[in-house]
Amino acid sequence: MTAENSPGSGPQPGGLAQGAIATVAGNGQAGYVSDGGPATATQLNRPANVALDRDGNLYIADRFNHRVRKVTPQGVITTVAGNGTAGYVSDGGPATATRLNGPLDVAVDESGNLYIVEYDGNRVRKVDTRGVITTVAGNGQAGYMSDGGPATATRLNWPSGVTVDTAGNLYIADCFNHRVRKVDARGIITTVAGNGQAGYVSDGGPATATQLNQPTGVALDAAGNLYVTEYASHRVRKVDTRGIITTVAGNGQAGYVSDGGPATATQLNQPYFVTLDDAGSLYVADQSNHRIRKVTPDGIITTVAGNGTAGYVDDGGPAVATRLYYPSGVALDRAGNLYIADAYNNRVRGVTAVATMTPPPPPTADLYGEVVSSPSVQTGQEFDLGVRVKNRGPNPADGQYVTVVLTLADGLRGPVGTTGQRLTRTFAGQLLQPQQGSLDGVFRITVPGDTPPGQYTSTVEIQYGGDLNLKDNTCTLPVIVVVPQPPTDERALTITQDTVPQAAPGQRTVFNVKFDAADSRPVNPGDIVQRYTAPSGFTFPGQPTYAYYNTAQGVISGNLDYRVEDGGRALIVTANPHVNTTSSDTGPLYYTLPVQARPDAAAGTYQNGSASIGRHTPVQLTGTVTGSAHNETALRARQESVPQAAPGQSTTFNLEIRSLNDQPVNPGTIEQRFTAPTGFAFTGGASYGYYHVQPAVTGNLDTRLEDSGRTLLISSNPHVNTGSTDKTALIYTIGIRALADASPGTRSDDGSAALGRLTPVPLSAVVI
């Protein structure tokens, strides 16, 4: 978030209508190509926030490129900080020659100095007008020590946001310390909001005496009032110049209800960053609602960009009618143009003259369809085709006026009892509430055996007889029909070791073997004996599993039949490594094989393992025994989402696990104890996922319940950054239910997650 220093006019293209959206940086592909050319032609990698300087230059926190990029008003992009490698080297040199670690926010002061928040580096850095970088807050270690001393000698805990006032004071959203910190011109750090406990108590008192819940964004208005977004409490708070805190947007419940009413009475969904215009209107990146919301000085909230559906459509039209994809950051230039860090679209978007436009009124109802289809289907098979109708408007929609019309392509056939290519379904007696449930406009379609291979495009339309916004109501549904080829034996498979296991002596880990076929050919060898020999220094300790990650039905996984021989050196699997024979085994196929480094193993890389799959040529297997491995105390865990459930109902929440500075951590199998917040109990269901790799790696966790569900025990190895399949972060998804006698409106913050010897992490939940 930039300071209130009259930023210049930025790179938003001219000639667009008021409220129209355009891309000003990024071509939608995640990555990094080069600098010096048009910003719209190059790649960004999860841009997190933006800021402008007096000359109209736009600065982008290019998070996963570990760079800060600059776009001139003429649209030319360059790097101003970071060499693209994650980490920390030193201070005092050129900013473009050193490392950054997950830059998440940027701000510019009146003199043109650039401030950068390193989320994964637990630092705030400064790049002066000569291009020299220094640290201004944080010593690189995650945590909290004290206030009143030098900011560079203390700890921050995954800082997220920064802003700077006209006197040169920095304000930092110290996310997992649940505080906002201030660094004055002398470099002394203090707390200006939050008491260090995660949660929400009340408004109207001293900001330093109350709770915050994962503050991520900070901004200042012209009068010196401080605005703070609370990611996990779904609120925006205001700290006035007397230090008194109040809520200015969000009622604490995650979701979206409507626009046009008081901002404090409606819902936000994980708001991230915030900015203000010269008139005092507040702009909020309502991230998980895929919208940018505006709160006027009289407290009324509207949407100025995003229709609530995640994705990307095109540019040039009204911003309120297009799609955003987890927008996280916002900034304004002198002309009132709004710039949006459209994070998962890997773009920065600009909206023309937002500060002076009047947002259109919300529709009475607003239906849209979530498409259900299959990318490819074999002849003779059935598949689902159509839409699930949902409502994002402020009022319910009467199902008797809703009709789904599916017009099938020639060559496809409708369900039994239907004739022709036009299928319809209405929903009499059903009431579609906003943000709740859906109407099932999905049909079971058959591909006859005599349909020639090729692409078949059907269309689906949502029709409504009442007052309704009908954008996004017509979709095309292309399906590729393929003719099964005769299956071949295992020698037609391409077999590779997909990951190389790394473990310290005595520790366990896993690695993947990948089975695929050229041109997606079907391969179905039947059950064959497969012999896996571990590299020196390793043994096979237990159950191997398989998974198909790219099927129309989602992830298909299970256990493999196996036995261990030769003291664990050999693993014998009997299974059918088939791919591409049906819609449920779309390749590639992955085997996940557990291994354990022998306690007496010498450090080194061993390449003498092998995989002998039937008559296939044996494949070499490699493993690395490390000298040491970090244990679980090097991990950092946080509650990523706060569960909300009515009494007796069940839901889930996510726990994110990362490592400090993205170092490899492989603690081995450890016990993890979860205590439910008051009013809740665990269901016993828990799964894990590595979602920063493609394809995502997921599975179920080994769990046990105690104390009538109040305690959940998980036994697993929460490893990260040990190979190509566990990069960046591990997500636990845990089932939880509100007790039948729980009081609605209760928010509890007394749960905890204790991962081995790691300091317990607080858990929160809300009874609705």
Short mmCIF file of all heavy atoms in Angstrom, two decimals, residues 23-27 37-44 60 70-72 75-77:
data_model
loop_
_atom_site.label_atom_id
_atom_site.label_comp_id
_atom_site.label_asym_id
_atom_site.label_seq_id
_atom_site.Cartn_x
_atom_site.Cartn_y
_atom_site.Cartn_z
N THR A 23 -5.67 -4.96 -18.81
CA THR A 23 -4.45 -5.51 -18.22
C THR A 23 -3.31 -4.53 -18.46
O THR A 23 -3.10 -4.07 -19.58
CB THR A 23 -4.12 -6.87 -18.84
OG1 THR A 23 -5.15 -7.81 -18.48
CG2 THR A 23 -2.79 -7.39 -18.34
N VAL A 24 -2.55 -4.23 -17.39
CA VAL A 24 -1.41 -3.33 -17.53
C VAL A 24 -0.08 -4.06 -17.33
O VAL A 24 0.97 -3.52 -17.64
CB VAL A 24 -1.51 -2.13 -16.56
CG1 VAL A 24 -2.73 -1.29 -16.88
CG2 VAL A 24 -1.54 -2.59 -15.11
N ALA A 25 -0.11 -5.29 -16.81
CA ALA A 25 1.12 -6.08 -16.66
C ALA A 25 0.76 -7.55 -16.56
O ALA A 25 -0.21 -7.92 -15.91
CB ALA A 25 1.91 -5.65 -15.44
N GLY A 26 1.57 -8.40 -17.22
CA GLY A 26 1.37 -9.84 -17.15
C GLY A 26 0.55 -10.35 -18.31
O GLY A 26 -0.43 -9.73 -18.72
N ASN A 27 0.95 -11.50 -18.85
CA ASN A 27 0.20 -12.10 -19.95
C ASN A 27 -0.64 -13.29 -19.51
O ASN A 27 -1.18 -14.01 -20.35
CB ASN A 27 1.15 -12.53 -21.08
CG ASN A 27 2.14 -13.61 -20.65
OD1 ASN A 27 2.06 -14.14 -19.54
ND2 ASN A 27 3.08 -13.93 -21.53
N GLY A 37 10.77 -4.79 -21.90
CA GLY A 37 9.75 -4.74 -22.94
C GLY A 37 8.40 -4.34 -22.40
O GLY A 37 8.26 -3.90 -21.25
N PRO A 38 7.35 -4.51 -23.21
CA PRO A 38 5.99 -4.18 -22.76
C PRO A 38 5.58 -5.04 -21.57
O PRO A 38 5.72 -6.27 -21.60
CB PRO A 38 5.14 -4.46 -24.00
CG PRO A 38 6.08 -4.44 -25.15
CD PRO A 38 7.38 -4.94 -24.62
N ALA A 39 5.04 -4.42 -20.55
CA ALA A 39 4.64 -5.15 -19.34
C ALA A 39 3.55 -6.16 -19.63
O ALA A 39 3.46 -7.20 -18.96
CB ALA A 39 4.20 -4.18 -18.26
N THR A 40 2.69 -5.89 -20.59
CA THR A 40 1.58 -6.80 -20.88
C THR A 40 2.03 -8.03 -21.66
O THR A 40 1.25 -8.96 -21.82
CB THR A 40 0.49 -6.07 -21.68
OG1 THR A 40 1.09 -5.46 -22.84
CG2 THR A 40 -0.16 -5.00 -20.84
N ALA A 41 3.26 -8.05 -22.15
CA ALA A 41 3.73 -9.17 -22.96
C ALA A 41 4.59 -10.14 -22.17
O ALA A 41 4.96 -11.20 -22.68
CB ALA A 41 4.52 -8.67 -24.16
N THR A 42 4.93 -9.81 -20.93
CA THR A 42 5.81 -10.66 -20.15
C THR A 42 5.03 -11.40 -19.08
O THR A 42 3.81 -11.26 -18.95
CB THR A 42 6.95 -9.84 -19.51
OG1 THR A 42 7.98 -10.73 -19.07
CG2 THR A 42 6.45 -8.99 -18.35
N GLN A 43 5.72 -12.21 -18.30
CA GLN A 43 5.08 -13.05 -17.29
C GLN A 43 5.30 -12.48 -15.89
O GLN A 43 6.33 -11.88 -15.60
CB GLN A 43 5.65 -14.47 -17.34
CG GLN A 43 5.37 -15.21 -18.64
CD GLN A 43 5.99 -16.59 -18.68
OE1 GLN A 43 6.58 -17.04 -17.70
NE2 GLN A 43 5.86 -17.28 -19.79
N LEU A 44 4.28 -12.67 -15.04
CA LEU A 44 4.39 -12.44 -13.61
C LEU A 44 4.13 -13.78 -12.91
O LEU A 44 3.61 -14.72 -13.53
CB LEU A 44 3.37 -11.40 -13.13
CG LEU A 44 3.43 -10.01 -13.78
CD1 LEU A 44 2.28 -9.15 -13.27
CD2 LEU A 44 4.76 -9.33 -13.49
N ILE A 60 5.31 -3.59 -8.49
CA ILE A 60 4.59 -4.85 -8.31
C ILE A 60 5.41 -5.78 -7.43
O ILE A 60 6.59 -6.05 -7.73
CB ILE A 60 4.34 -5.54 -9.67
CG1 ILE A 60 3.61 -4.60 -10.64
CG2 ILE A 60 3.56 -6.83 -9.48
CD1 ILE A 60 3.59 -5.12 -12.07
N LYS A 70 8.90 -2.86 -11.85
CA LYS A 70 8.46 -1.48 -12.05
C LYS A 70 7.91 -1.34 -13.46
O LYS A 70 8.55 -1.76 -14.43
CB LYS A 70 9.62 -0.53 -11.83
CG LYS A 70 9.38 0.93 -12.21
CD LYS A 70 10.66 1.73 -12.01
CE LYS A 70 10.57 3.13 -12.60
NZ LYS A 70 11.84 3.87 -12.43
N VAL A 71 6.71 -0.76 -13.58
CA VAL A 71 6.10 -0.48 -14.88
C VAL A 71 5.97 1.03 -15.01
O VAL A 71 5.31 1.68 -14.20
CB VAL A 71 4.72 -1.15 -15.01
CG1 VAL A 71 4.13 -0.87 -16.39
CG2 VAL A 71 4.82 -2.66 -14.77
N THR A 72 6.58 1.58 -16.03
CA THR A 72 6.51 3.03 -16.26
C THR A 72 5.13 3.40 -16.78
O THR A 72 4.38 2.54 -17.24
CB THR A 72 7.57 3.46 -17.27
OG1 THR A 72 7.24 2.88 -18.55
CG2 THR A 72 8.96 3.01 -16.85
N GLY A 75 4.32 1.85 -19.92
CA GLY A 75 4.07 0.42 -20.00
C GLY A 75 5.29 -0.46 -20.13
O GLY A 75 5.16 -1.64 -20.45
N VAL A 76 6.50 0.06 -19.85
CA VAL A 76 7.73 -0.73 -19.94
C VAL A 76 8.06 -1.29 -18.55
O VAL A 76 8.04 -0.56 -17.56
CB VAL A 76 8.89 0.12 -20.47
CG1 VAL A 76 10.19 -0.70 -20.49
CG2 VAL A 76 8.57 0.61 -21.87
N ILE A 77 8.39 -2.60 -18.50
CA ILE A 77 8.63 -3.27 -17.22
C ILE A 77 10.12 -3.55 -17.01
O ILE A 77 10.84 -3.91 -17.94
CB ILE A 77 7.83 -4.58 -17.12
CG1 ILE A 77 7.82 -5.13 -15.68
CG2 ILE A 77 8.31 -5.62 -18.12
CD1 ILE A 77 6.82 -6.23 -15.44
#
